[in-house]
Amino acid sequence: MSTESVKPVIHFAHANSFPAGTYRVFFDFLRTHYDVQALPLHGHNPAYPVTDGWPHLVQELIDALESRYQSPVILLGHSLGGMLSMMAAKARPDLVRCVVMLDSPLVGGWRATTLRLFKWIGLDKKFSPARFSEKRRNQWKDAEEAYKHFASKEMFAIWPPEVLRDYINAGIQPNENGEGVTLRFTREVETAIYSTLPDGLGYLARKGLKVPIGFVGGTESVECRQAGLKATHQLVGNNFVQILAGHLLPMEVPEQAAAATHAMIQSLISTTSHH
């Protein structure tokens, strides 16, 4: 038996519009300790459509866990992925060892506070998220032009260049007509996910989960600041930490984000072994 196969398994779920390949550097730091797995792209399988409250996206995650693994795994998710992980663990605690949410603050009444979630993608207050993501640029003549487009934006400029390269590699594909490149994560799906945020998650904070859950966020996260962290604290208790970063911490500071994630997982797993 190789040493690889005895590492605990992490199943990762990505944030809206950022395919799993974007997180390669972050994953590489975690792979010292874990076998890291992920679905490459959520929201794009027609068998699991994006509908209000994301029930099919949660089911897609549950089905992946059932088909891939023989025993419970660690669920790790960023933003959208953290919420999907939490909801999957709520529905099927038998498949999960513990959950770590990366900057996925829990809020009751999501509808009213949707706008704050999208400031990190340069969303202006005058526009709804749907209007923004529907019109966001998605065509370039080649990958290099796409790279320069994103590198010129404040949000992406603070990423290590290799992480931005990974986003381009994972997030851009050739157009069907063979001319130019486009976003692999479609604007339509990104928009649909934004406009169908679950609005009944407040009860989770009060009821809790049957498996340990923790939160690793960014001190500079606009999402957390505007959402407030009361419900999140209620859900995770002392299993809460923030590092110096924004909402996109696994891309901005992958090494620090991985270290904080590893520490949180170890803390959660040690609590389960005592029961």
Side-chain angles (χ1 to χ4, degrees), residues 133-150 167-168 171-188:
S133 52
E134 275 166 2
K135 294 179 179 179
R136 79 136 98 211
R137 182 172 176 186
N138 70 341
Q139 299 287 334
W140 299 272
K141 69 173 192 287
D142 54 29
E144 192 54 35
E145 187 185 57
Y147 178 87
K148 286 176 178 158
H149 166 81
F150 288 108
Y167 173 56
I168 299 300
I172 300 291
Q173 64 186 9
N175 280 315
E176 286 175 11
N177 64 8
E179 294 189 12
V181 296
T182 189
L183 292 172
R184 178 170 280 132
F185 203 107
T186 71
R187 296 184 297 190
E188 293 74 22

Side-chain angles (χ1 to χ4, degrees), residues 223-275:
E223 176 173 329
C224 287
R225 196 160 58 243
Q226 301 220 336
L229 290 165
K230 186 181 169 189
T232 303
H233 280 297
Q234 202 176 356
L235 178 67
V236 304
N238 292 330
N239 301 316
F240 180 95
V241 69
Q242 288 176 302
I243 62 172
L244 184 60
H247 178 58
L248 301 181
L249 60 161
M251 293 81 141
E252 294 169 16
V253 288
E255 185 170 10
Q256 293 90 323
T261 300
H262 174 52
M264 179 62 70
I265 290 169
Q266 292 309 304
S267 168
L268 295 173
I269 287 178
S270 72
T271 59
T272 53
S273 58
H274 293 159
H275 287 174

Side-chain angles (χ1 to χ4, degrees), residues 82-99:
M83 287 185 266
L84 294 181
S85 298
M86 177 181 59
M87 289 189 280
K90 179 73 176 173
R92 292 295 306 274
D94 56 305
L95 300 174
V96 181
R97 286 183 72 180
C98 64
V99 180

Side-chain angles (χ1 to χ4, degrees), residues 118-132:
F118 313 118
K119 292 207 173 129
W120 53 268
I121 45 171
L123 182 63
D124 192 272
K125 285 179 185 160
K126 294 189 296 257
F127 304 107
S128 77
R131 273 179 66 189
F132 177 80

Side-chain angles (χ1 to χ4, degrees), residues 59-102:
Q59 193 60 49
E60 179 181 35
L61 179 53
I62 289 170
D63 289 351
L65 299 179
E66 284 197 303
S67 62
R68 285 180 178 224
Y69 312 113
Q70 271 66 59
S71 53
V73 297
I74 298 156
L75 283 189
L76 172 63
H78 179 211
S79 197
L80 160 72
M83 287 185 266
L84 294 181
S85 298
M86 177 181 59
M87 289 189 280
K90 179 73 176 173
R92 292 295 306 274
D94 56 305
L95 300 174
V96 181
R97 286 183 72 180
C98 64
V99 180
V100 176
M101 301 187 297
L102 295 173

